Amino acid sequence: MLLIRCPYCQEERPEIEFSYAGEAHIARPLNPDDLSDESWAEYLFIRSNRRGLHYERWLHAHGCAQFFNALRDTVSDKFETTYKIGEARPQVKK
Amino acid sequence: MSYKLKSDQGVILADLLAGQVTLMADQLRYSLRIKSQDRTAFTKACGIDLPNKIGQTIIQNDRMVFCVGPDEYILIDNPNLRETLKQKFEQLADKFVFSTTDISHRNIGFKLSGKQAARMINIGCPLDLSLETFPVGKCTRSVFESAEILIFRNKEDEFQLETWRSFAPYMARYFEKFCLENESL
Ligand SMILES: [Zn+2]
């Protein structure tokens, strides 16, 4: 069983309580009307699909019900860190 | 054994050596959402103490207030106070931005006691229920099999488990089965 640290509960909790919510730090365009169809589609659908360290959103659905961000390695499934929404993304250790 | 939950409230579902499972009597339940900056003022205005940290519980007489999220609380109280609380909340409505939802009939409470109580929860819930990580007085939302639950540890060997009414017959059977299979423990 994978344990994920929720930055709001400040605890390691079983994976089954969480749900994945896609890539993190993708800001919604402030004026969608100004966008071309192509750039709107890019905002909606195009993701980095990274192999390795990936910034992503998680929801502690069956816990505190908060969204938070995580830095996870998509190859090893190891969570490097998790942090609250609104906090700056932690730098990747080389 | 049939589970007509409304009429069975307050009865013991299983009482075996391994543990005792009781379906709790009717309760008043509220889901409260209050921003953390209004917490103290809210308590001052209506006398309901709110815990300030996720996982904490405050108990006053029949009243239990669980903090399940940064601004989310579950209040369980004596059903006789239904009107009193409703009026209190209405009076506060123009003072703060908050939300109160009566969920009395959405939830059902189980009381699990006995030295196997934690094990009984762990058949369907992967939380670490050792006393070090889950001390007396702690509460949290979690899952039991696929049903969302609220767990509260009353005592070292007693838990209160809240779930949605529709999940209750399923969980009651699970507990009953556990008790039967572990009768010799
Ligand atoms: Zn959490």
Side-chain angles (χ1 to χ4, degrees):
Chain A
M1 180 178 66
L2 192 62
L3 292 172
I4 301 173
R5 184 176 176 81
C6 170
Y8 292 93
C9 296
Q10 299 185 353
E11 268 185 340
E12 307 244 308
R13 300 286 289 254
E15 181 191 3
I16 196 172
E17 293 182 353
F18 296 85
S19 49
Y20 177 69
E23 189 171 354
H25 301 291
I26 293 173
R28 189 176 198 276
L30 293 174
N31 295 305
D33 287 349
D34 299 346
L35 260 58
S36 65
D37 285 354
E38 208 168 55
S39 34
W40 182 244
E42 191 165 312
Y43 157 69
L44 286 181
F45 305 116
I46 307 301
R47 297 294 179 260
S48 59
N49 196 24
R50 207 172 292 281
R51 185 180 191 277
L53 290 169
H54 186 232
Y55 294 97
E56 55 196 21
R57 291 190 308 166
W58 283 79
L59 171 65
H60 194 186
H62 301 293
C64 60
Q66 299 296 303
F67 279 94
F68 62 90
N69 289 333
L71 179 61
R72 181 180 64 102
D73 192 313
T74 57
V75 178
S76 62
D77 211 13
K78 182 178 187 287
F79 279 77
E80 290 295 334
T81 185
T82 56
Y83 52 104
K84 291 181 180 177
I85 292 288
E87 288 177 2
R89 69 175 88 191
Q91 286 314 302
V92 178
K93 281 170 262 158
K94 294 267 161 64
Chain B
M1 199 171 183
S2 69
Y3 296 98
K4 284 185 186 124
L5 288 170
K6 196 64 195 166
S7 55
D8 279 348
Q9 281 183 0
V11 304
I12 294 166
L13 293 176
D15 186 8
L16 299 156
L17 285 172
Q20 193 181 64
V21 182
T22 314
L23 200 55
M24 292 174 61
D26 201 15
Q27 305 278 326
L28 174 66
R29 298 180 177 88
Y30 264 105
S31 162
L32 309 176
R33 305 293 301 257
I34 300 153
K35 290 247 155 70
S36 57
Q37 63 264 30
D38 290 335
R39 197 167 43 83
T40 335
F42 177 86
T43 300
K44 228 177 167 181
C46 70
I48 297 174
D49 279 328
L50 301 175
N52 62 4
K53 209 170 156 254
I54 298 175
Q56 281 181 351
T57 310
I58 289 183
I59 301 181
Q60 294 172 293
N61 305 320
D62 287 344
R63 177 179 299 155
M64 293 190 280
V65 188
F66 305 112
C67 181
V68 291
D71 60 353
E72 187 179 358
Y73 307 87
I74 302 286
L75 179 146
I76 299 183
D77 212 332
N78 190 317
N80 297 331
L81 294 173
R82 193 174 304 263
E83 277 309 307
T84 323
L85 278 184
K86 198 172 158 235
Q87 280 168 16
K88 263 187 190 172
F89 292 148
E90 276 167 6
Q91 283 161 10
L92 293 177
D94 51 359
K95 296 203 178 79
F96 312 103
V97 177
F98 69 105
S99 115
T100 57
T101 313
D102 189 333
I103 53 164
S104 307
H105 298 285
R106 187 191 73 179
N107 279 27
I108 277 277
F110 289 98
K111 192 163 272 178
L112 310 181
S113 50
K115 59 184 198 309
Q116 298 291 326
R119 245 191 90 204
M120 210 177 330
I121 297 174
N122 278 147
I123 52 172
C125 170
L127 270 189
D128 179 358
L129 295 177
S130 65
L131 276 165
E132 297 80 65
T133 52
F134 210 98
V136 175
K138 182 171 171 172
C139 70
T140 185
R141 221 176 352 219
S142 190
V143 271
F144 185 91
E145 286 298 319
S146 319
E148 187 164 288
I149 51 168
L150 176 74
I151 307 178
F152 168 60
R153 189 174 215 143
N154 295 331
K155 297 174 193 162
E156 205 176 310
D157 56 359
E158 188 178 295
F159 291 87
Q160 182 172 335
L161 217 145
E162 291 269 323
T163 191
W164 287 20
R165 171 175 297 276
S166 55
F167 298 139
Y170 168 68
M171 283 172 58
R173 288 203 179 93
Y174 237 108
F175 296 140
E176 189 192 37
K177 197 157 177 257
F178 175 90
C179 288
L180 289 169
E181 281 174 0
N182 294 277
E183 213 165 351
S184 55
L185 290 172

